[in-house]
Amino acid sequence: MTSDYLGAAFKRASATIFLAVSALVTPATIAYAASPSSIDLGKSEWQVRAVPGPAASAHPKAAAWQHASVPGNVHTDLLANGAIEDPYVGAHEAALQWIGLADWEYRTRFDVDSATLAHTHNDLVFDGLDTYADVYLNGCKLASADNMFRNWRMPVRGALKAGANELRVVFHSPIAHVLAQVQAMPAKLPANYDWGFGDEPKGVLTQNFVRKPGYHYGWDWGPRYVTAGIWKPARLESWDTLRIADLHIAQERIDGDEARVTAQVEIEADRAGKAELELHYGLAGSSDLQTAKQTATLKRGTNRIDIPLRIAHPRLWYPVGYGTQPLYTFSLDVAADGTRAEAQRRTGLRRIELRHERDDKGRGFAFAVNSVPVFAKGANLIPFDMFPTRVTREQQLRVLQSARDAHMNMLRSWGGGYYESDEFFDLADEMGILIWQDFMFGGGATPANDPRFRANVLAEAREQVRRLRDHPSLALWCGNNEVETGWKDWGWKKKLDQEAPALAAKAWAGYEQLFGRDLRAVVAELGAGVPYWSSSPSNDLDGASNDSDNGDKHYWEVWGGPAKPAAAYLDETPRFMSEYGLQAWPEMRTIATIAKPDEMQVDSPVIRAHQKFLYGDGNTRLLKYVREEYGEPKDFADFVYLSQVTQAEGIELAALHHRASRPRTMGTLYWQLNDVWPGASWSSIDWYGRWKALQFHAKRFYAPVAVAALRRHGTTTVSLLNDRQEPTAATMRLRVLDLDGKLLREESKPVTLAAAAATRFGEFADADLLRGADPKRTVVAYELLVNGATLARDIVYFAAAKELALSDPSLHADIAADGDGYRLTLSAKKLARAVWIDFGNLDLELSDNALTLLPGESITMRLQSKADLADLKRSISLRSLGNH
């Protein structure tokens, strides 16, 4: 189409129409099915261009009108049209920063018939606009949006017309939009990551002034791509007598005998009158439904109708590992004056608590569901992609299923991204994964002392809390990530006090107002009993912010700061560890998608571009950890392998320590589960969904029953870990072996693992275990046996891996067809530590990997792949610390 394809039919409406319409703009609520019509504007033909100006002049491909997708964003549209290089491949990040400085215009045309126009209400609804956007219909300005996390409902009566309609959305650069405001401040508020790309003046960071995902401005695990676009669905909704604005199931009393709930219905009515409400409810998928009917008298405007319900002997929802995840559906039908509207809601019946109880050391931090204490096992979740509209349900499902497969029961949705979709929370509900939800503040000080900024945030919070409150997986609302600890522990206050004391005082007062009072009040009013916590890490604004004895803890002295060895994890025993981590590269197959063979070097430009820690120098830190424990890598592939071993063994040490410290410690969430792109990061699953070694280790160290044999300062402390709600009887076996398999000592003892507890088994001095044996050639295996089968195991070494006398373990793998997949049997003649099974470029899934075999041991696992047996046998390679 040509640039004037919309033609002269679209004429600018008068200023009086603009005033009449814009005054009625209100945030949108969740869309519901109803008898009135709805036009999906994403099905229209959209176009995008750079608004004429410096960016358009410098990039003529972007200046021309071209096809656009809705939902979508500028970067993905430009990529689809061949106007830019792939932002994930090679090292194009710096060359693409102009996109975030440009203004962009989207346009489409859609037809409206006379029947649609005749409706009393026609609303243009955007579920998400990124971020500063002016919306025009037939030349009439409807609204200016300023928050990517909000929905926008715009009445268009008077601007909409029969026949062809032109819709334009003009997006302004979020950097340029606030730059002058930031530069005018007497001192700069602390913020994260001054990347030096030149799109912002050095030292002038704008992201914390914009209600937009912080990670779009770059983080230490992802690139800087400052996006714009219509990132969620857009539609024209038409209605007459009423529409259902919200349906919420308020849970007032939940126990095994009875659930007392209230269906809270919010109706927008065009006129006063009677309405008939009919609600069908019961277990999801069941035909045995109950019905409640009620007549309500509506007034013009917003109406709230409560329908009290009782469910006898309800099936309660529990997180995975603590019970099942039954879900109930509630289907509402409202009829009034010839109009019908419908709404559906699905939820689980449960009570959620955050217990912050005081003891002789401080105050704890523990979750309970239906009065059952839950030891939280999991990881931190970041966005699934730099460009949210590319995220698919399959992607979410793969990552969440991987979390569940690794026995995780909680994920922390980190505050530097965006609020996840209902689809994501539906999956979490079904899988029994609790979600700790941050409000979207990822780090750095905010202008919370600005009443307009704060009002914008609170509107966002009210929308998001209402949207998500019926998901039983939602366990916590947290005000922000690391903002309080920045003020109290990182020198922000001291620096601002010196530069601009009045600003420092106002900024901290604004912080206390927004995170201490305002957001807490929103969650208390609308959050359906989900607890609120002001910041992570913190003690909820009570004293120190990152205190091991109070509240939750982020521990970065390993990897960050002083870069202590992984053994230092054993010296830190928090109440709840909500962040800690070690980095690793993804497997070579993933790296091959971003780098050519000659670019696969530790310090090549492309590899540095995908290593965001220390602004590209992060491999120096990674090599430090690899060298200290495992020695010098032989080549780049060996560096990648050893990085994964370093990460997996280090995080396992920490997680087992946290579990062994129960009940003082009641949660462990490592940083991080997933990736936004292919690159080096702290993730255990890469951008393609492929498991790193850490994810396989997590499947073992988060297992319901595990052994923690933790060696520190010449003594090994052994704890038996049981997350089950009943005691477990087993046999504890201790074996001391040399690396070739010679048995030096064996002892067995019957044990009972207490329910939902860590049971201390004993302490063992090195001298007693070794009894003169060579520490470089000796290991100790602590194993839990049930009916002769190994239920859990932990292995203790007496020297750094590089000092052990490891040799080629003579690994052998046998693959055979087995049902709809394959069976892989792996064996080793000698100790095989950190075995990695690789199949090159073949796509497959292994039930186990990144494992250690004792001498003479054989292990069988499942293998799923579309490849044939011959290809699998030809492609397999085996690596361990003895033959890497």
Side-chain angles (χ1 to χ4, degrees):
M1 297 180 182
T2 61
S3 61
D4 61 347
Y5 82 105
L6 295 170
F10 305 110
K11 297 179 180 178
R12 185 169 300 276
S14 70
T16 55
I17 294 178
F18 159 62
L19 291 172
V21 174
S22 63
L24 295 173
V25 172
T26 58
T29 53
I30 300 170
Y32 292 89
S35 54
S37 62
S38 177
I39 298 174
D40 180 0
L41 298 178
K43 295 180 179 178
S44 301
E45 175 61 33
W46 284 86
Q47 292 186 317
V48 65
R49 68 168 180 175
V51 173
S57 299
H59 301 276
K61 284 186 178 180
W65 285 108
Q66 53 199 287
H67 174 73
S69 295
V70 171
N73 67 68
V74 171
H75 287 75
T76 52
D77 287 333
L78 294 175
L79 177 63
N81 291 310
I84 61 170
E85 299 287 342
D86 191 326
Y88 281 17
V89 177
H92 302 301
E93 184 180 359
L96 296 178
Q97 294 310 307
W98 64 271
I99 300 172
L101 286 173
D103 292 347
W104 299 91
E105 181 177 5
Y106 282 76
R107 71 178 185 181
T108 191
R109 180 176 63 183
F110 63 95
D111 292 329
V112 170
D113 58 26
S114 57
T116 299
L117 193 64
H119 283 292
T120 309
H121 297 272
N122 285 294
D123 297 338
L124 188 60
V125 181
F126 291 95
D127 288 341
L129 294 170
D130 177 14
T131 292
Y132 293 107
D134 295 328
V135 180
Y136 300 86
L137 180 62
N138 298 325
C140 173
K141 184 175 181 181
L142 301 180
S144 292
D146 60 357
N147 189 324
M148 183 170 165
F149 308 123
R150 291 177 62 183
N151 304 327
W152 305 94
R153 177 178 291 274
M154 308 170 191
V156 294
R157 190 172 181 84
L160 190 70
K161 61 184 182 181
N165 289 262
E166 179 197 32
L167 176 61
R168 294 191 303 119
V169 185
V170 179
F171 292 93
H172 303 283
S173 163
I175 298 171
H177 193 81
V178 300
L179 184 60
Q181 174 192 354
V182 177
Q183 288 179 310
M185 296 183 68
K188 302 301 182 287
L189 293 180
N192 293 319
Y193 307 115
D194 191 350
W195 292 103
F197 286 126
D199 55 337
E200 292 175 321
K202 184 171 179 58
V204 181
L205 306 180
T206 61
Q207 63 261 43
N208 290 334
F209 292 76
V210 183
R211 294 311 295 146
K212 175 177 173 59
Y215 84 107
H216 282 170
Y217 294 81
W219 221 264
D220 56 7
W221 35 254
R224 179 184 177 92
Y225 291 126
V226 183
T227 59
I230 305 169
W231 78 290
K232 286 191 172 184
R235 61 193 173 275
L236 178 70
E237 286 188 3
S238 304
W239 58 283
D240 291 308
T241 307
L242 60 84
R243 70 180 184 90
I244 302 173
D246 191 34
L247 171 61
H248 165 51
I249 309 304
Q251 303 184 25
E252 290 143 7
R253 176 188 164 188
I254 305 294
D255 58 38
D257 295 325
E258 184 181 63
R260 294 185 183 179
V261 304
T262 298
Q264 296 178 352
V265 184
E266 185 177 309
I267 295 175
E268 289 291 329
D270 183 68
R271 62 185 73 96
K274 296 286 187 182
E276 300 296 330
L277 289 78
E278 186 170 312
L279 184 71
H280 304 279
Y281 60 100
L283 278 169
S286 171
S287 59
D288 185 16
L289 300 179
Q290 295 177 266
T291 301
K293 297 181 179 181
Q294 189 164 312
T295 300
T297 300
L298 304 180
K299 67 178 188 300
R300 188 175 186 275
T302 302
N303 297 262
R304 157 82 177 271
I305 298 118
D306 289 349
I307 306 175
L309 307 170
R310 293 191 177 191
I311 302 173
H313 308 295
R315 294 185 58 192
L316 303 188
W317 186 97
Y318 287 90
V320 62
Y322 289 79
T324 58
Q325 294 79 48
L327 297 169
Y328 284 78
T329 56
F330 297 80
S331 299
L332 175 67
D333 183 274
V334 180
D337 196 20
T339 297
R340 305 190 72 87
E342 298 174 353
Q344 293 79 36
R345 181 66 75 195
R346 189 182 73 166
T347 191
L349 303 178
R350 61 95 179 95
R351 299 184 313 279
I352 185 78
E353 302 171 69
L354 176 59
R355 296 178 175 176
H356 191 35
E357 297 167 347
R358 189 176 297 278
D359 59 23
D360 61 339
K361 298 293 185 182
R363 300 191 68 178
F365 189 101
F367 291 93
V369 177
N370 302 323
S371 301
V372 177
V374 173
F375 188 96
K377 301 180 296 187
N380 286 262
L381 184 87
I382 65 171
F384 293 87
D385 197 283
M386 284 305 301
F387 311 115
T389 53
R390 298 203 304 192
V391 177
T392 64
R393 183 182 184 278
E394 289 69 30
Q395 212 173 341
Q396 295 174 334
L397 176 61
R398 184 182 180 101
V399 170
L400 288 177
Q401 186 63 55
S402 294
R404 182 180 165 120
D405 289 347
H407 308 290
M408 296 183 187
N409 57 32
M410 176 173 277
L411 297 176
R412 173 178 174 242
S413 184
W414 168 76
Y418 50 86
Y419 305 96
E420 282 295 345
S421 65
D422 285 293
E423 208 167 44
F424 168 88
F425 277 91
D426 285 343
L427 291 170
D429 294 344
E430 293 163 8
M431 294 184 186
I433 299 175
L434 295 170
I435 303 298
W436 163 325
Q437 181 63 60
D438 283 358
F439 284 102
M440 289 302 114
F441 297 90
T446 63
N449 56 303
D450 181 346
R452 292 171 301 177
F453 179 88
R454 205 161 58 242
N456 195 1
V457 170
L458 293 179
E460 161 198 324
R462 294 180 71 87
E463 289 181 26
Q464 295 296 342
V465 171
R466 281 165 58 100
R467 179 175 71 90
L468 297 176
R469 61 186 171 182
D470 283 294
H471 289 284
S473 56
L474 183 61
L476 180 71
W477 281 104
C478 181
N480 64 71
N481 173 72
E482 295 185 339
V483 182
E484 183 181 336
T485 195
W487 277 106
K488 293 182 175 179
D489 304 320
W490 298 352
W492 294 2
K493 184 179 186 302
K494 181 179 179 181
K495 185 173 185 294
L496 270 182
D497 279 342
Q498 293 171 346
E499 295 176 350
L503 174 63
K506 288 181 179 179
W508 178 249
Y511 177 91
E512 290 184 306
Q513 178 68 39
L514 179 58
F515 298 106
R517 295 187 289 276
D518 291 348
L519 289 175
R520 192 185 308 275
V522 169
V523 175
E525 177 193 355
L526 301 174
V530 173
Y532 175 79
W533 192 250
S534 61
S535 182
S536 180
S538 81
N539 192 39
D540 202 20
L541 278 168
D542 182 11
S545 62
N546 199 17
D547 179 1
S548 300
D549 289 327
N550 294 279
D552 73 309
K553 177 85 174 182
H554 292 192
Y555 183 72
W556 286 103
E557 291 190 19
V558 175
W559 183 267
K564 293 179 179 179
Y569 281 132
L570 300 181
D571 301 328
E572 180 60 46
T573 309
R575 297 311 186 108
F576 191 107
M577 187 70 93
S578 47
E579 274 195 29
Y580 62 101
L582 288 166
Q583 231 196 37
W585 279 88
E587 63 180 82
M588 291 295 290
R589 180 165 53 134
T590 293
I591 298 172
T593 66
I594 60 171
K596 300 173 183 176
D598 62 347
E599 295 170 332
M600 293 183 188
Q601 303 171 37
V602 170
D603 205 34
S604 77
V606 169
I607 294 302
R608 285 178 60 86
H610 288 259
Q611 166 58 278
K612 307 307 293 183
F613 184 66
L614 295 178
Y615 299 98
D617 288 335
N619 283 342
T620 59
R621 182 67 52 86
L622 189 46
L623 277 168
K624 172 188 182 297
Y625 279 91
V626 168
R627 288 165 174 158
E628 285 178 353
E629 181 64 27
Y630 304 98
E632 189 69 28
K634 296 175 182 177
D635 52 29
F636 183 75
D638 198 38
F639 164 66
V640 170
Y641 161 72
L642 290 176
S643 77
Q644 292 204 19
V645 176
T646 300
Q647 180 192 44
E649 294 193 347
I651 298 303
E652 176 169 333
L653 186 71
L656 288 175
H657 170 57
H658 301 153
R659 293 188 67 188
S661 301
R662 182 175 185 169
R664 173 183 166 85
T665 303
M666 282 301 291
T668 176
L669 308 177
Y670 64 75
W671 186 272
Q672 66 204 61
L673 181 64
N674 60 317
D675 270 335
V676 298
W677 78 329
S681 80
W682 295 260
S683 75
S684 56
I685 304 171
D686 76 18
W687 183 65
Y688 289 97
R690 297 164 182 158
W691 288 24
K692 295 182 185 176
L694 172 55
Q695 188 70 15
F696 288 101
H697 278 242
K699 187 176 179 181
R700 294 188 287 271
F701 65 65
Y702 279 158
V705 175
V707 178
L710 306 175
R711 180 177 176 270
R712 188 70 164 146
H713 306 305
T715 298
T716 298
T717 302
V718 180
S719 300
L720 311 180
L721 314 176
N722 183 20
D723 286 340
R724 296 171 177 169
Q725 298 304 297
E726 62 280 336
T728 297
T731 298
M732 184 66 184
R733 181 171 70 182
L734 177 156
R735 286 190 290 166
V736 183
L737 308 96
D738 73 10
L739 301 182
D740 295 329
K742 181 180 179 181
L743 183 63
L744 304 179
R745 177 182 170 191
E746 181 174 357
E747 297 177 4
S748 295
K749 180 181 178 180
V751 292
T752 298
L753 284 67
T759 303
R760 182 65 60 89
F761 178 72
E763 294 185 352
F764 302 83
D766 285 358
D768 182 54
L769 290 170
L770 289 169
R771 297 180 182 179
D774 184 351
K776 297 181 180 179
R777 294 191 51 82
T778 307
V779 299
V780 182
Y782 294 90
E783 298 165 301
L784 275 175
L785 308 177
V786 175
N787 297 325
T790 302
L791 182 63
R793 171 193 289 166
D794 203 6
I795 299 174
V796 171
Y797 306 94
F798 297 94
K802 65 183 180 183
E803 298 171 359
L804 297 177
L806 296 169
S807 60
D808 189 334
S810 300
L811 287 164
H812 176 74
D814 180 69
I815 309 173
D818 184 18
D820 60 352
Y822 299 94
R823 181 181 66 253
L824 188 154
T825 303
L826 182 69
S827 61
K829 292 183 178 179
K830 301 179 181 180
L831 182 85
R833 180 173 173 182
V835 176
W836 184 255
I837 309 166
D838 190 81
F839 287 86
N841 291 322
L842 294 183
D843 282 320
L844 53 83
E845 291 186 8
L846 277 169
S847 62
D848 207 355
N849 206 344
L851 67 167
T852 294
L853 276 68
L854 294 175
E857 187 173 23
S858 178
I859 294 177
T860 298
M861 63 193 72
R862 290 284 299 167
L863 188 160
Q864 294 292 137
S865 178
K866 294 180 180 179
D868 63 29
L869 184 60
D871 285 341
L872 291 169
K873 289 184 174 181
R874 183 167 51 251
S875 301
I876 191 171
S877 64
L878 305 172
R879 185 193 295 257
S880 75
L881 290 182
N883 66 323
H884 64 98

